[in-house]
Amino acid sequence: MAGHFAAKRLSKELSKIRSSLPPGIELVSADNFEEWLLDIRVLDNNPLYQNETYRLKFRFASSYPIEPPEVVFVKLPDRPIPIHPHIYSNGIICLDLLGQQGWSPVQNVESVCMSLQSMLTGNSKNERPPGDEEFVRGNRLRPKDIEFYYHDNDV
Amino acid sequence: MARLKLSQWDNAIADCTECLKLAPDSMKAHYSLSQAHLALRAYDEALTHALKAHELCLKTLDKSLGTVTTHVLKCKKERWDDMEKRRIRETSELEMEVIGLLERGRDEAVREAAGLDEGSRREIEDEWRAKIDLVRDVFEKARPAREKRRQVPDWAIDDISFCVMVDPVITKTGKSYERASIVEHLRRQPLDPLTRDPLYISDLRPNLDLKQACEEFLAENGWAADW
């Protein structure tokens, strides 16, 4: 059963994305139904993220949207990893929406981008998650296999 | 089954029909029969058996519900395409026929006017030319009209698969989804996709009015089946 959902649903999301996207979100590439790249910017005046653009990488399993996509920030010369207590310096994001438990199949690429935008907008802490260095050094798991411990739920 | 794969449609139909005599409620037989009919462009039969297979899937909680739902949409789409093709051919034939009749009328009028003076003859010719142009114009205007409404209304779309709904079911919150999609989600996680409240497959109720609305929409806009 799983499998015939993903391509069809993604092709429809793509045609919608190509016709319009909310401000601060841009499609960079979507050459197949496995991996898409998007850029996001924070629109308000939060000094932590001013004048920066961040690159997101979406990876879809054939069970999408029943299963969540894998979403990480990608580091490039002009695309840093945003500083945030739920974003590790290797780009891995700790957000319940993207986890097996928090995901809902009515979410989509656009809504995930918007959630990440507002996650950044609402943040005032200029810090990485606790244990960032150790996690980045030691982690060999894919984001979906990591059991995040949610330190706080107010960020 | 093998005969389906080998594209021996007639044999496959014979097998399935035989099978249905013995087991009238065989979902697989209806599904295969529908595939064979579709391949042979017997669209009405294909749709009838696809719907029957869908109904049986529901009754037996068969895991193929998703596949069968997709197949029902495919039958609807191909059936509509065929009707549309025929309609286009028929209207263009009608247009040629009407213009042919007018041209004959014109020729006759011109012949009858042979005895009149040049001015009157020209007047009659102009009159007929205007008539023919007008008829062409009317046919031309009718053409793009049906291309206009090529937009699928949100109420017909399942928010999980993004397809037009075939068998919509409604949740406690009042939101409807395609049965195959929401069941697939609830098997993995018994939570309402919008509110995250507990939601079980047994809580789903068919949304018959929406089903009928989707059917009517697809009947008029068959292209939307694989939108």
Side-chain angles (χ1 to χ4, degrees), chain A residues 1 9 12 67 100-101 104, chain B residues 160 184 189 193 196 227:
Chain A
M1 166 70 203
R9 156 114 179 208
K12 286 170 187 174
E67 300 283 335
Q100 301 288 327
Q101 289 311 308
S104 157
Chain B
I160 298 176
E184 178 81 8
Q189 204 182 37
R196 316 205 58 76
W227 165 82

Side-chain angles (χ1 to χ4, degrees), chain B residues 120-156:
Chain B
S120 312
R121 275 205 321 259
R122 186 151 300 160
E123 205 171 296
I124 290 170
E125 269 177 45
D126 283 349
E127 200 180 300
W128 278 95
R129 189 177 308 123
K131 269 191 213 170
I132 292 172
D133 285 348
L134 187 61
V135 168
R136 280 217 175 94
D137 207 35
V138 168
F139 273 101
E140 199 55 51
K141 272 188 191 138
R143 226 164 270 147
R146 61 163 185 270
E147 310 264 302
K148 264 180 212 156
R149 262 183 57 200
R150 291 234 149 177
Q151 218 177 4
V152 189
D154 283 344
W155 54 257

Side-chain angles (χ1 to χ4, degrees), chain A residues 87-102:
Chain A
I87 301 171
Y88 290 92
S89 49
N90 58 3
I92 288 182
I93 306 162
C94 172
L95 176 65
D96 64 341
L97 172 73
L98 295 173
Q100 301 288 327
Q101 289 311 308

Side-chain angles (χ1 to χ4, degrees), chain A residues 81-140:
Chain A
I81 306 287
I83 186 105
H84 188 286
H86 285 174
I87 301 171
Y88 290 92
S89 49
N90 58 3
I92 288 182
I93 306 162
C94 172
L95 176 65
D96 64 341
L97 172 73
L98 295 173
Q100 301 288 327
Q101 289 311 308
W103 173 254
S104 157
V106 296
Q107 300 285 354
N108 53 60
V109 172
E110 185 182 315
S111 72
V112 168
C113 287
M114 288 170 74
S115 298
L116 288 168
Q117 269 182 321
S118 74
M119 172 174 157
L120 297 180
T121 303
N123 175 48
S124 55
K125 294 185 186 164
N126 187 8
E127 55 191 50
R128 292 282 176 209
D132 176 55
E133 241 176 81
E134 194 189 342
F135 172 80
V136 170
R137 202 175 331 109
N139 180 57
R140 295 287 172 271

Side-chain angles (χ1 to χ4, degrees), chain A residues 1-2 4-5 8-9 12-13 65-68 99-106 108, chain B residues 63 66-67 70 159-163 177 181 184-185 188-189 193-194 196 225-227:
Chain A
M1 166 70 203
H4 66 252
F5 265 1
K8 200 156 189 185
R9 156 114 179 208
K12 286 170 187 174
E13 278 196 51
I66 298 298
E67 300 283 335
Q100 301 288 327
Q101 289 311 308
W103 173 254
S104 157
V106 296
N108 53 60
Chain B
K63 286 258 162 69
T67 318
T70 312
D159 278 348
I160 298 176
S161 64
F162 283 24
C163 290
Y177 301 92
S181 310
E184 178 81 8
H185 161 69
R188 176 184 164 274
Q189 204 182 37
L194 285 180
R196 316 205 58 76
D226 72 348
W227 165 82

